[in-house]
Every structure is written in structure tokens, then in C-alpha cells.
Amino acid sequence: MSKRHYYLIMSVIVLGFLFHHQTVKAQEAFTREEALDFLKDAYKAQTSLGEKYQTYKESRDTLDPYFTDDYAKLFLEENLVYEEEGYTIYGSDFALYYIPFYSYTDDTKFIYDSEKNQIYVYEFFQKPEEGPVDYDDHFETVILVEDEGHWKVNEFVESTKKPAFIKSIEEKSLSKNTLPKTEFRMVPTQDHSYISYQHWGSYFVLQMEYQNQFTYITKKEPLRFLF
């Protein structure tokens, strides 16, 4: 393989990877950390409505960056009250449509559904042994959807068992991660460069070396070569 041929192959692969990365970036705009920070801010927006009196529009505008129209309306209909000074909300341990009291630890799970382009954040809440609040073991799930280019909370699901849509995604992921590892390597004799291709779990890894310099590309789909 000549140096020119090698660099041509590497350029095509890198350009293909960059295009794919940009597409995924648009669909998976949130990392786990970003999603959890977003939910913290969404909860603060909800509770801030009880800090002062304001108009209904002002209350609605406060929720707009974090919740879809349908979800915001459900929350306001359930929790917003009108008094002479304006609209406000009252605190309650059992108020509906609030962002759950997630621990924001490893117990708070994050899943991206690429088929539906939705994000699921959920956590299992165990029945408390004691305290003023009592509830049974259950899961609380928040579903985020893309709304006019922005991720927003669209649904809240509480269930005694892990939701079926989450179990389905986890089972698919588990089946992909049982795939065997494969590898091929080409070693030109003139410049001692090589390309190795590995399939490990659900990831495909391309490693390219030229004069002791390494480049790695990782994708979730098979890499296609021109040679």
C-alpha cells in the first residue's frame, strides 16, 4: 500500500466518521450528566412558582424551557392556584407532575432510545422503613422528547415494575454486547503502517498507525472500506 493510497483511505474513513458523529450529535444532544442537570433546573423552575405571585403567562413562561406545552398545562392545572395577589403554588409531598426526587447518583439511570428519539431517566424508590412519607417500592420515570430542536420533559411514569419500554431497550443492548470480537490487520512492508479493525460488544473500533502515530475511530455501526 502506497502512502498516498493509505492517506486516501484514512481521509475517506475519517470524513465518514465525522458526518456520522454530527448526525448522532443532533439526535443525542444530551449526555447523562447534561440530562440530570437539566432535570435539576426543571425542578427548580417548578418550585420557583411558589416563591412569588405572578400572572398565568409568567408562570407558563417559566416552565417553557423545560416542559412541552401539554406537560406544562397538566402541571399548572394540578398545582397552580389563584389568589388576590396573583398565581402561585403550594408545597406538598404528594403534588403531581413534579420532577421526581432523584438521588442523582448511579441509582439514577439514563437511557437514550434511538428508534423513538426519546430519553428516559428513571430510578427505583424503595419503601422507606420509617418517616413521615410512606410509599411502596416503585419506579419513577421521566421521558424527554425533542421539541422544536430542544429536549423537554413530556411525560412522567410511575410504576411498581420497571417499565416495559425500558426493559426492551436494555434487553436489546444486552444482546448486542454478547457479539464476539473480530479483528483484521493489514501490514504494508514499505512504511510499516497498519490498520486494525476490532468489533467488541456493540462498538466497532478502527485503529490506524503510521510512523508510530495512532488514530482511533469508534462507531456503533460496521465500518465499510474501499479496498
Side-chain angles (χ1 to χ4, degrees):
M1 180 191 293
S2 66
K3 292 183 181 179
R4 180 179 180 183
H5 189 200
Y6 178 83
Y7 282 124
L8 176 60
I9 293 172
M10 188 166 64
S11 299
V12 170
I13 294 172
V14 170
L15 287 174
F17 170 75
L18 291 176
F19 177 78
H20 170 77
H21 178 73
Q22 290 172 355
T23 303
V24 173
K25 185 71 174 178
Q27 293 179 342
E28 300 183 49
F30 270 179
T31 63
R32 178 181 183 277
E33 290 73 19
E34 289 171 335
L36 298 188
D37 287 341
F38 177 83
L39 293 182
K40 292 177 185 178
D41 291 339
Y43 176 75
K44 290 178 182 178
Q46 290 177 316
T47 57
S48 72
L49 299 183
E51 296 174 355
K52 60 182 179 180
Y53 294 100
Q54 53 190 355
T55 65
Y56 182 89
K57 183 180 184 305
E58 289 172 333
S59 301
R60 181 65 187 83
D61 290 344
T62 300
L63 301 179
D64 183 67
Y66 307 101
F67 303 90
T68 61
D69 287 342
D70 290 341
Y71 195 93
K73 289 177 182 177
L74 286 174
F75 176 82
L76 294 177
E77 288 175 1
E78 180 66 31
N79 299 288
L80 197 67
V81 296
Y82 178 75
E83 295 184 356
E84 186 176 349
E85 299 89 340
Y87 287 93
T88 188
I89 61 175
Y90 300 136
S92 172
D93 291 331
F94 298 99
L96 298 178
Y97 304 113
Y98 274 90
I99 299 298
F101 292 111
Y102 288 140
S103 64
Y104 298 104
T105 64
D106 291 341
D107 292 330
T108 310
K109 309 300 182 182
F110 168 93
I111 292 181
Y112 172 69
D113 186 345
S114 59
E115 295 182 0
K116 296 182 178 180
N117 193 28
Q118 294 182 345
I119 290 174
Y120 308 127
V121 178
Y122 73 94
E123 185 169 335
F124 174 71
F125 290 84
Q126 192 170 11
K127 177 180 175 64
E129 296 181 357
E130 57 183 16
V133 180
D134 186 33
Y135 50 79
D136 294 328
D137 293 353
H138 67 284
F139 290 85
E140 295 188 17
T141 305
V142 170
I143 301 176
L144 291 86
V145 300
E146 202 169 3
D147 182 55
E148 297 182 353
H150 300 281
W151 289 105
K152 293 186 178 182
V153 175
N154 186 59
E155 190 175 352
F156 168 74
V157 178
E158 183 175 331
S159 55
T160 56
K161 296 182 179 180
K162 184 182 294 186
F165 53 85
I166 290 179
K167 291 179 63 176
S168 175
I169 296 173
E170 290 177 338
E171 289 171 357
K172 289 179 182 178
S173 176
L174 180 61
S175 64
K176 289 181 180 179
N177 288 333
T178 59
L179 293 174
K181 175 181 177 181
T182 59
E183 177 178 356
F184 71 79
R185 176 177 292 187
M186 300 192 313
V187 185
T189 57
Q190 294 182 351
D191 52 15
H192 303 288
S193 62
Y194 70 78
I195 298 176
S196 69
Y197 173 65
Q198 300 180 11
H199 179 194
W200 186 259
S202 58
Y203 291 90
F204 297 83
V205 181
L206 178 70
Q207 173 182 299
M208 296 175 288
E209 178 190 0
Y210 179 71
Q211 295 181 347
N212 296 322
Q213 295 185 2
F214 293 85
T215 302
Y216 296 89
I217 293 177
T218 302
K219 293 183 63 177
K220 291 187 177 181
E221 289 85 18
L223 297 160
R224 293 177 174 82
F225 299 92
L226 302 178
F227 52 90

